[in-house]
Amino acid sequence: MGVVASDSRLGVRALRDWCQALDLPYLPPENRVPGAASIAAVQGAVYLKYNSTTQLCYISLYQGRDRGVLLQLGQGELLGHFPLGLFDEAMSNPEPSLAQ
């Protein structure tokens, strides 16, 4: 799964909500942004990469204009961009912790 969002707060929230909706384990992302001491300190648009098979999850900066969630089915088809808040449109779920 890939998440592209305008900031780390929205990206991590979307990742958590999508993992919950798809019954996947939520993995807090590893910070791969040089110069950012924490995920909360990341400025600007972000890309979150999540792989439930390898237990890989990280956040990095994103330069593109797209926003949403991308899903890959096995080794083949890529689907998306789905809305970030598809499973929590009212944003009523509590914000996830960005501490790391």
Side-chain angles (χ1 to χ4, degrees), residues 3 5 11-12 15 19 23 28 32-34 36 43 50 55 62 65-67 70 74 76 78 83 96-97 100:
V3 176
V12 173
L15 176 67
C19 286
D23 200 28
R32 292 196 179 172
V33 178
Q43 299 290 312
Y50 173 88
Q55 301 291 292
Y62 177 71
R65 294 170 35 160
D66 297 319
R67 300 292 184 264
L70 300 162
L78 188 63
S97 170
Q100 199 179 36

Side-chain angles (χ1 to χ4, degrees), residues 22-84:
L22 298 174
D23 200 28
L24 296 169
Y26 169 71
L27 304 169
E30 171 192 337
N31 181 9
R32 292 196 179 172
V33 178
S38 69
I39 291 173
V42 174
Q43 299 290 312
V46 295
Y47 171 73
L48 289 95
K49 171 68 176 172
Y50 173 88
N51 185 313
S52 61
T53 303
T54 63
Q55 301 291 292
L56 173 75
C57 186
Y58 65 84
I59 188 169
S60 59
L61 293 178
Y62 177 71
Q63 300 300 318
R65 294 170 35 160
D66 297 319
R67 300 292 184 264
V69 177
L70 300 162
L71 299 175
Q72 185 170 357
L73 304 179
Q75 296 297 319
E77 194 170 358
L78 188 63
L79 305 174
H81 295 83
F82 295 101
L84 293 169

